[in-house]
């Protein structure tokens, strides 16, 4: 794995109503890695992720994307360089699958035939035959299919970084495992930098090259799955008790 830095947190604190939601975050996310942030509800996982694409702005410190502080980026340009997938997928219900996936390329003024070609390529990539799915609407898809479309849309403009906020959390266990495995294959094949938020430690061990454990708004453990297994931190031990024996 390349040790080039994609995103860097330097002494980052974010407060809301004078209360810190995250405090003193200092870590780097390397290009091409899959960093999974785990933690209980309210631990600061999603807040940390939203600081990357400037949905939140640090109260103190700075987040750097491509070595430039996010506050120096035009927010729209920044977000178009960062794919974003959430649990509900955020698909536009009145857009076809083709139009949903092609949204960012169209905003970037790609040519229509280039957009169509890219949409079909992305649908193939996530295992949806374009001939069967391109003209459907989100309500005509299963939950797993909608998540695949959400991933295709996030990848369509070829962003270097992908943020994923509990994208598989609402799916049944079998579909969830299928998508986890499919996404791991995709991430390794494409070499994208991925930041993935989950409260499911099992999911973290399937997907992560490194695991970051959030607790009380702080990053208390950061390391490879093997290093996480050896962590003496009480919160890490509590999460490890949730691992199913393989």
């Amino acid at each position: 794995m390349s040790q080039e830095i994609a995103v860097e947190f330097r002494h980052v604190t974010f407060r809301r109503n004078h209360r810190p939601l995250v405090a003193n975050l200092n870590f780097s996310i390397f290009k091409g890695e899959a960093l999974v942030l785990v933690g209980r509800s309210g631990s600061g996982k999603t807040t940390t992720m939203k600081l990357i694409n400037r949905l939140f702005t640090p109260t103190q410190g700075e987040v750097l994307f491509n070595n430039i502080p996010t506050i120096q980026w035009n927010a729209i340009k920044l977000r178009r360089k960062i794919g974003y997938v959430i649990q509900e997928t955020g698909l536009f219900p009145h857009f076809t699958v083709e139009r949903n996936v092609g949204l960012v390329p169209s905003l970037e003024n790609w040519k229509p035939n280039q957009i169509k070609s890219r949409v079909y390529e992305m649908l193939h990539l996530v295992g949806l035959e374009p001939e069967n799915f391109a003209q459907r609407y989100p309500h005509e898809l299963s939950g797993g299919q909608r998540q695949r479309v959400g991933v295709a849309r996030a990848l369509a403009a070829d962003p270097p970084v992908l943020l994923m906020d509990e994208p598989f959390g609402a799916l049944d266990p079998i579909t969830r495992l299928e998508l986890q495995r499919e996404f791991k294959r995709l991430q390794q094949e494409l070499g994208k930098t991925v930041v993935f938020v989950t409260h499911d430690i099992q999911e973290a061990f399937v997907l992560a090259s490194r695991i970051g454990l959030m607790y009380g708004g702080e990053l208390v453990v950061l390391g490879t799955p093997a290093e996480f297994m050896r962590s003496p931190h009480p919160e890490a031990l509590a999460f490890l008790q949730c691992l199913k024996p393989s």
Side-chain angles (χ1 to χ4, degrees):
M1 185 199 310
S2 167
Q3 293 300 292
E4 283 185 83
I5 293 173
V7 178
E8 187 175 2
F9 282 71
R10 292 182 181 171
H11 309 291
V12 172
T13 294
F14 175 72
R15 294 187 182 89
R16 179 178 279 165
N17 300 326
H18 307 292
R19 184 175 75 87
L21 299 187
V22 295
N24 199 34
L25 296 178
N26 281 289
F27 68 99
S28 297
I29 301 164
F30 300 116
K31 290 184 178 179
E33 82 164 319
L35 174 65
V36 178
L37 296 176
V38 298
R40 304 182 196 217
S41 297
S43 62
K45 308 182 299 295
T46 295
T47 299
T48 300
M49 173 177 282
K50 288 181 175 179
L51 286 160
I52 296 172
N53 64 353
R54 216 176 134 185
L55 290 174
F56 293 150
T57 302
T59 309
Q60 290 172 235
E62 59 184 7
V63 179
L64 285 77
F65 179 82
N66 283 355
N67 297 313
I68 301 168
T70 53
I71 57 168
Q72 292 180 21
W73 281 86
N74 172 286
I76 292 171
K77 286 185 178 176
L78 175 70
R79 288 172 197 149
R80 288 184 189 170
K81 288 185 173 292
I82 300 174
Y84 192 36
V85 186
I86 56 176
Q87 188 174 119
E88 300 83 7
T89 72
L91 299 178
F92 290 103
H94 55 294
F95 283 11
T96 61
V97 165
E98 181 173 346
R99 197 170 168 199
N100 266 292
V101 175
L103 182 62
V104 176
S106 68
L107 292 172
E108 293 284 339
N109 297 313
W110 291 24
K111 293 177 181 174
N113 60 343
Q114 193 183 5
I115 295 171
K116 189 179 187 76
S117 173
R118 182 64 174 172
V119 168
Y120 276 45
E121 181 188 355
M122 290 299 97
L123 289 176
H124 274 300
L125 194 68
V126 298
L128 297 175
E129 286 300 319
E131 297 77 11
N132 294 332
F133 289 96
Q135 298 311 312
R136 293 193 198 180
Y137 288 86
H139 74 270
E140 298 176 303
L141 307 177
S142 70
Q145 288 167 345
R146 284 194 296 273
Q147 283 304 151
R148 288 173 184 266
V149 174
V151 171
R153 183 177 66 176
L155 291 170
D158 201 21
V161 173
L162 197 60
L163 307 181
M164 307 188 72
D165 192 359
E166 302 204 35
F168 309 142
L171 302 175
D172 66 84
I174 295 172
T175 304
R176 184 171 183 162
L177 186 59
E178 286 174 352
L179 282 186
Q180 286 169 357
R181 288 172 175 161
E182 184 74 7
F183 182 74
K184 185 178 180 71
R185 179 191 66 76
L186 267 184
Q187 190 267 334
Q188 291 174 340
E189 184 180 310
L190 299 175
K192 297 291 181 190
T193 304
V194 174
V195 183
F196 192 108
V197 161
T198 184
H199 60 271
D200 182 346
I201 190 66
Q202 198 87 25
E203 185 164 67
F205 272 85
V206 171
L207 297 174
S209 50
R210 285 195 303 162
I211 299 172
L213 175 63
M214 303 291 300
Y215 181 66
E218 296 184 358
L219 185 66
V220 294
V221 179
L222 178 61
T224 64
E227 290 166 340
F228 191 94
M229 292 282 286
R230 297 194 294 269
S231 172
H233 194 284
E235 190 70 355
L237 297 174
F239 267 89
L240 287 170
Q241 287 180 348
C242 303
L243 271 179
K244 299 170 191 166
S246 53

